[in-house]
Amino acid sequence: MEITEIAEAEATEEFHDPFDLPHVPFKFDRLSHSESMNRSLDFYKLVNGRRSLRMFSEDPVPIEVIRNCCMAAATAPSGAHTEPWTFAIIHTREMKAEIRQIIEHEERINYESRMSQQWVSDLAKLRTNWEKEYLETAPYLIVVFKQAYGIDENGKRVNHYYYEQSNSIACGILITALHNAGLVTLTSTPMNAGPAIRALLDRPVNEKVQLLLPVGYPASNATVPDLKRKPASKVLFEY
C-alpha cells in the first residue's frame, strides 16, 4: 500500500496493519538422507495401497479418528491463510438417509439425461450407477465445503484467495489421513445435489459442497476394479 492509501485506510474501522503479525523462529529437525529415503519410500508404499471403495461395512469407527483426520486436513496451506474449508461429519441414520435420498434423486437424472453416453459408458467398468447404498451403510459421511468467501464476526465479507486450490489440497490430505488411519473412502462429487445438502445441514450461503466422502471399513466381500496406475515415465518429468 502507498503511504496515502494507508493513511486513508487507518481512518476507517476496516484497517488492519499488514505488518502487525509477529513472526517466530521455525523449529525444524533435519533428517539424514537415508532417513528421508526410507520415509519417502514407506509413505509411497502406504498411499499406493489406497483404493476407492463403494462397499462398506457397518462396523463402528471411533469418531475421534474421524475428527483427527479432519483436523489433519485443516492443516493444509491456503491463500493468505484464510483456511476456506468446513468439514461436516454425518453419522446419524436419519441424516444419512436424507442425504442418500437427495443424491439419488439427482444422480438418476444425471445418468438418464444430463451425462453423455460416453461418460456413462466410461463409468460402467467401475460398476457404479445412480443408486448409492453406501451412503447409508458407511458409518460416516464427511461433507467438505469450500468457502467462496468468509464472513467475519461483524457479518462483513472476507476475501478468500485461491479457495478452490486450497480446498483441493485439504481434500487430498483428508483422503490420505483416512487411509493412514486404516479406513477406506470414496471421492464422491454429488452433482447438482450440493444446494440441497447445504440446506439440509443448515450451512451458510458462502459454503458450497466440494466433496462427499463415505468413510468406514471395507465390507468383507468388498471388491475393487483391477486398475493399474500410470508408471513414473508417464507422470514424472525431470529438468
Side-chain angles (χ1 to χ4, degrees):
M1 301 175 74
E2 298 292 339
I3 298 298
T4 54
E5 293 176 318
I6 293 177
E8 291 173 358
E10 285 178 332
T12 74
E13 296 180 356
E14 298 180 358
F15 176 72
H16 300 284
D17 186 348
F19 302 105
D20 198 32
L21 180 68
H23 283 216
V24 296
F26 175 59
K27 296 180 180 180
F28 181 79
D29 294 323
R30 185 167 178 170
L31 302 177
S32 66
H33 288 178
S34 61
E35 180 66 11
S36 290
M37 176 67 74
N38 290 336
R39 287 197 184 190
S40 65
L41 182 58
D42 287 345
F43 185 72
Y44 168 63
K45 290 179 179 178
L46 172 70
V47 297
N48 195 38
R50 185 205 58 77
R51 295 299 304 269
S52 296
L53 262 287
R54 292 176 171 81
M55 304 168 70
F56 288 82
S57 165
E58 293 185 329
D59 292 346
V61 176
I63 193 167
E64 291 81 8
V65 176
I66 307 301
R67 291 170 181 159
N68 289 339
C69 290
C70 288
M71 291 310 298
T75 68
S78 60
H81 193 61
T82 50
E83 302 174 294
W85 40 64
T86 301
F87 304 94
I89 302 172
I90 296 97
H91 54 83
T92 65
R93 289 187 178 275
E94 296 77 13
M95 187 70 77
K96 289 191 294 181
E98 287 192 64
I99 288 178
R100 179 182 179 182
Q101 185 176 18
I102 290 170
I103 290 178
E104 287 190 337
H105 170 74
E106 294 294 340
E107 281 289 81
R108 185 166 190 171
I109 300 173
N110 292 337
Y111 273 82
E112 292 179 353
S113 60
R114 292 176 180 145
M115 296 162 59
S116 68
Q117 285 299 313
Q118 183 62 55
W119 191 350
V120 174
S121 177
D122 288 342
L123 289 174
K125 63 184 177 184
L126 304 179
R127 298 182 186 175
T128 181
N129 54 38
W130 63 267
E131 296 179 282
K132 311 295 181 185
E133 180 182 355
Y134 54 76
L135 293 173
E136 290 188 81
T137 306
Y140 295 100
L141 303 177
I142 302 176
V143 181
V144 183
F145 289 91
K146 55 186 177 183
Q147 301 173 8
Y149 56 90
I151 302 173
D152 68 13
E153 61 275 10
N154 298 315
K156 294 183 179 179
R157 181 170 175 146
V158 177
N159 290 334
H160 280 176
Y161 309 100
Y162 300 106
Y163 67 89
E164 294 275 8
Q165 294 90 334
S166 300
N167 268 270
S168 295
I169 297 169
C171 288
I173 294 176
L174 176 56
I175 292 166
T176 305
L178 292 168
H179 178 66
N180 181 63
L183 302 174
V184 295
T185 187
L186 172 71
T187 50
S188 168
T189 52
M191 186 167 65
N192 295 101
I197 293 173
R198 180 180 62 77
L200 176 66
L201 301 181
D202 196 27
R203 299 308 307 164
V205 295
N206 63 314
E207 297 184 357
K208 300 182 185 300
V209 174
Q210 175 139 351
L211 277 184
L212 186 149
L213 304 173
V215 179
Y217 298 114
S220 59
N221 62 339
T223 62
V224 293
D226 187 15
L227 302 173
K228 300 294 186 291
R229 292 189 167 99
K230 291 180 179 179
S233 61
K234 297 291 186 181
V235 299
L236 179 61
F237 299 89
E238 301 178 14
Y239 299 91

